[in-house]
Structure formats: C-alpha cells, structure tokens
Amino acid sequence: MPSPTGTVTPSLSTFLASLGSNSFETSIEHLVSLLRHRQIRGSRSCAIATAHLLCRVLRNLQVTDVTKLIERVQQVGQKLAAAQPKELAVGNIIRRVLGLIRDESEEDRDGEASGYGDMEIGSRNATSTTRGAVQSEPTQKRPFLAPNISVNAPAITSLFNTHPSKGTSPLLTPGSQTFRAESPVPAPLPSTSNTTQDFRAEVVEGVQEIIEELNQADDQIAGYALDHIHGSEMILTYTPTMTVQRFILKAAAKRKFTVVHTESFSKHHRPRNLAGTRNIGPDDDEGSSEGFLKALTIAGVTVIMVPFSAVFALMSRISKVILDGHIVLADGSLVAPSGAKAITQAASMHRTPVIVLSGVYKLSPVYPSDVGVLVDFGDPSSIVGFDQGSFPEEIDVMNPLFDHVPADLVDLYITNL
C-alpha cells in the first residue's frame, strides 16, 4: 500500500534538515529516537548524524569551562551509545571530538604558558638594566613568580594511539561504551569571552573537518584502487556499497578486469513494494545489488553474477576478494555483513587475498570480548514467510545481519588516510 501523500519517512536526510529548526536538546532526543528505532543505521550514516549533532551542540552550548564542555559532550555520547550500542561508529566520532577539544585546550594552555614566560624574561631583563645603572643602591632579588601552569602535561591517549599510558585500559566492553577523560583535564585559564568564543570556534571548525572527511572517505579510498586492481584479474565482491562501487569504478577507468558478484537472496533482494527496500545513497551504507551492478556495467566492467553457494567452487579462479566492513575492532577483526565470514574462509583455503575497505571512522578501540553482543539480528520474516505455512512452536528462526570475521582471515585494510 503506498504511503500517504506528504508523509516523510524518518531518515538521515530528514534529521539533517531538522537541525536548523530544532533546538540542540530536541535534536539530541530526535537522534536518540532514530537510532533506537533503527531508522538511521550503518556506520557512515550514524557517524555523519553524530558529527552534525555535535557541531550543533558545540555552537549553541553556552559553556566557558573546558571541563564542563567535555562533560556535556560525554553525556551526549553516552545517550547516543545507549540508544544503539551496536553502532560503534557513534562512539568513534564522540572520542574524536573529545580528543579535539582536549588538543585545542592544550594548545591554548601552551600559548598562555609561553606568554607568561616572555613576560617573566622581559621583567628580569628590565631589573638587570636598573641594577647596572644604579650600583650604589642595595637591591634585593625579586622572587620568581611562576604561573600555576603545568606545561609538561601527560600525553592524551587518542583513538589511534597503539601504546596507551599506564593506568588506562584499551579494552572496552561492547555495548557499554564509556567516554571518560583518558588524561586529567587541566583547569582552564582565566580568559575573556572573546578567547572562549575563539576556542569554541576552533573546535567547531575541527568537527566540520571531520564531516568533510566522512563525505570524502569513499573518494580517498578509491584513490588506491590502481595500486591493488590490475588488468585481467577476477575480483569477487559481496557487499554492494558505495565504497566498493567507487573503488572498482576508479580502477575500471584505466584497466580491464572482471567482477564476480555474489549475494544472498534474503539479504540483497527485497520486494519492490516494501518500504524497507533500499538503494545505494547517502542514507544507507549498503544498497541494492541491481543499482550496484548497473553502475559497473555502464562503466564497461564485465560483471558475472553467481549464487552464494558457488563461491567455494569459483574461489580458485578469483584473484582477490574486496569487501566493505561494518566496523573494525581493536584486535584487527572485522564485523561485516552476514556471509562475509564464509567468503573469507573460502578465500583462506585457496590462498586468495582478502582486501577490506574501511574508513577511519570505522576503526573502533572496542575489543571483541563477547562476539554475540556485536551481532545484530533482523526480521526473520525476510527469510521464512510465517504466513505461508505452519511451524512448530519450538522452532526459532534467526536472521543475523552481521558476521564476526577473525583478523587472520583478512590480508589488507585500506583506509582513507
């Protein structure tokens, strides 16, 4: 049944359009609702929504204390992570923004410290000149009044620091993300309102750079295509995402090769009259195979469709496997769409290299202590139609949306940095 005229389905685009009219408190609750009801899903969509929300919060939050600003961002991050714990990209963006705030705070403190140092040197030079001019007057040595600033502050542990300092644990439990200050937050220096506005403006500018990075991640990853795809190769793909599509199209502009695409019926084929049918676009990480393959065919790429059951038999003729993951965990393992583990296991048996395309926003410091927490499940009616037959009450039909792929099954990660 078609949707009524004027009805807009909540999505990433509608959320971004509402940011300008709603208050930031309303926008926070709006995004929490969208995440909880899975109306915004996928690492890229969740990361973009989180970054835009934090940019709005930082612009409108009337806070002059750096510590209170960090605490407010942590509160927003905990709300979003609790709304959808399995979207780890939300926590990644929160940590990057917190690190950005701490970095800007440290730079301001270093600048103030150097200013105090210059003032001290100037006063000491003036004192020595006066002593040289008046030798007969007894003088007393001025006490050194150093500002109460710790220049040698402890290093800030960031998302990309592989050697955290002692006392901090790099292991996080999936589903219970915390956003604590990994290094002591220094007390802010006395500052005027103009200095505070400049500090917040620098942080907002940094968040806007993160948003630009999210929008350009696929093109930056595609820039490495010619280094990994060569002529006359057979490339196996499984996830019909925009990242994989642009990666292949970039190589197809200069080289001729064959793409073997496999898919699972219940996952990549949906009736066209269902509202859940998705196409490749800015709101979804994964789209329909029809649109994915049509773009490759128009570009002159030879595309061969094979059923999922034929992957193992064809793997001996495959040159390399190219996948797009949902999230990359701290131990190098991967959370990918269901079916990816079977493909990587077949590639490992035939010594076929597996390449995973992943933006930096998908790199998570979470360690997979409980793999079951990371796996999300979908509607089982897309696999078995319960209205078409009777089933015993003892049967449980499960539809996992993701697989956990161990690190030893992946040969190479390609990121946008």
Side-chain angles (χ1 to χ4, degrees):
M1 179 178 179
S3 59
T5 305
T7 302
V8 179
T9 303
S11 61
L12 174 62
S13 58
T14 59
F15 170 73
L16 297 180
S18 66
L19 282 176
S21 57
N22 296 335
S23 63
F24 70 90
E25 292 290 350
T26 304
S27 299
I28 293 173
E29 298 301 327
H30 186 195
L31 182 56
V32 168
S33 177
L34 292 176
L35 291 175
R36 183 179 292 115
H37 294 90
R38 307 297 287 157
Q39 292 170 327
I40 293 182
R41 58 190 305 169
S43 298
R44 182 175 178 272
S45 299
C46 292
I48 291 176
T50 304
H52 278 88
L53 176 63
L54 291 180
C55 187
R56 176 67 189 277
V57 170
L58 292 171
R59 282 177 176 174
N60 295 271
L61 194 62
Q62 301 298 326
V63 174
T64 59
D65 190 354
V66 176
T67 305
K68 293 182 179 179
L69 182 62
I70 291 178
E71 290 176 354
R72 182 53 177 157
V73 174
Q74 290 173 347
Q75 293 173 0
V76 175
Q78 290 172 357
K79 274 189 174 182
L80 298 181
Q84 191 50 249
K86 297 180 181 180
E87 292 292 354
L88 301 182
V90 173
N92 296 344
I93 298 300
I94 296 293
R95 294 184 187 92
R96 290 190 63 178
V97 173
L98 289 174
L100 179 63
I101 296 174
R102 296 188 185 102
D103 290 342
E104 294 295 340
S105 175
E106 289 293 330
E107 289 179 3
D108 290 347
R109 286 171 54 83
D110 292 341
E112 292 288 343
S114 62
Y116 279 119
D118 294 339
M119 293 172 59
E120 181 64 30
I121 293 174
S123 62
R124 294 175 64 180
N125 291 339
T127 304
S128 61
T129 304
T130 305
R131 290 176 180 174
V134 185
Q135 294 289 339
S136 59
E137 294 184 3
T139 58
Q140 295 181 356
K141 185 176 180 181
R142 291 183 58 188
F144 179 73
L145 301 177
N148 187 17
I149 301 175
S150 176
V151 180
N152 297 324
I156 299 174
T157 303
S158 66
L159 174 63
F160 309 102
N161 188 358
T162 57
H163 301 285
S165 58
K166 294 182 179 180
T168 60
S169 174
L171 305 182
L172 300 177
T173 303
S176 60
Q177 302 185 61
T178 57
F179 306 99
R180 298 187 301 271
E182 298 179 353
S183 62
V185 180
L189 294 169
S191 59
T192 61
S193 60
N194 292 333
T195 305
T196 304
Q197 292 177 359
D198 292 342
F199 168 76
R200 289 169 53 190
E202 292 175 356
V203 175
V204 171
E205 183 179 355
V207 177
Q208 291 176 344
E209 291 178 358
I210 295 177
I211 296 175
E212 293 179 1
E213 176 190 325
L214 294 174
N215 295 327
Q216 299 174 0
D218 292 344
D219 294 331
Q220 293 173 348
I221 293 175
Y224 300 100
L226 294 175
D227 297 333
H228 301 279
I229 297 181
H230 308 284
S232 303
E233 287 187 338
M234 294 188 69
I235 309 298
L236 177 65
T237 62
Y238 176 62
T239 49
T241 62
M242 183 64 71
T243 305
V244 176
Q245 183 187 97
R246 292 183 179 178
F247 190 83
I248 294 176
L249 291 177
K250 185 69 174 181
K254 294 186 178 181
R255 291 172 183 167
K256 297 295 183 181
F257 52 90
T258 302
V259 172
V260 179
H261 184 74
T262 183
E263 57 188 17
S264 56
F265 177 80
S266 61
K267 181 175 179 58
H268 297 132
H269 285 275
R270 304 180 184 181
R272 297 184 181 275
N273 58 351
L274 291 182
T277 303
R278 297 181 295 167
N279 295 320
I280 291 182
D283 288 359
D284 298 306
D285 293 350
E286 185 175 346
S288 64
S289 295
E290 291 81 1
F292 174 79
L293 299 177
K294 182 178 180 180
L296 299 185
T297 304
I298 293 175
V301 179
T302 302
V303 180
I304 301 176
M305 292 284 296
V306 297
F308 189 80
S309 58
V311 169
F312 190 87
L314 292 175
M315 190 59 70
S316 60
R317 302 185 60 183
I318 300 299
S319 303
K320 54 178 63 72
V321 178
I322 297 179
L323 301 176
D324 184 11
H326 177 69
I327 206 74
V328 180
L329 303 174
D331 64 339
S333 60
L334 174 70
V335 177
S338 59
K341 185 175 182 180
I343 294 176
T344 54
Q345 287 176 335
S348 178
M349 291 290 294
H350 290 84
R351 300 296 188 268
T352 303
V354 176
I355 300 176
V356 176
L357 310 180
S358 174
V360 174
Y361 62 92
K362 296 182 180 180
L363 304 182
S364 175
V366 174
Y367 188 84
S369 57
D370 186 2
V371 177
V373 178
L374 300 173
V375 177
D376 199 3
F377 292 89
D379 183 9
S381 63
S382 62
I383 299 178
V384 177
F386 293 96
D387 56 344
Q388 298 178 1
S390 59
F391 291 89
E393 296 181 357
E394 293 78 9
I395 293 180
D396 293 332
V397 180
M398 304 182 70
N399 179 22
L401 300 179
F402 298 104
D403 279 345
H404 177 256
V405 181
D408 56 351
L409 297 180
V410 179
D411 296 280
L412 179 65
Y413 286 100
I414 300 178
T415 66
N416 56 309
L417 295 181

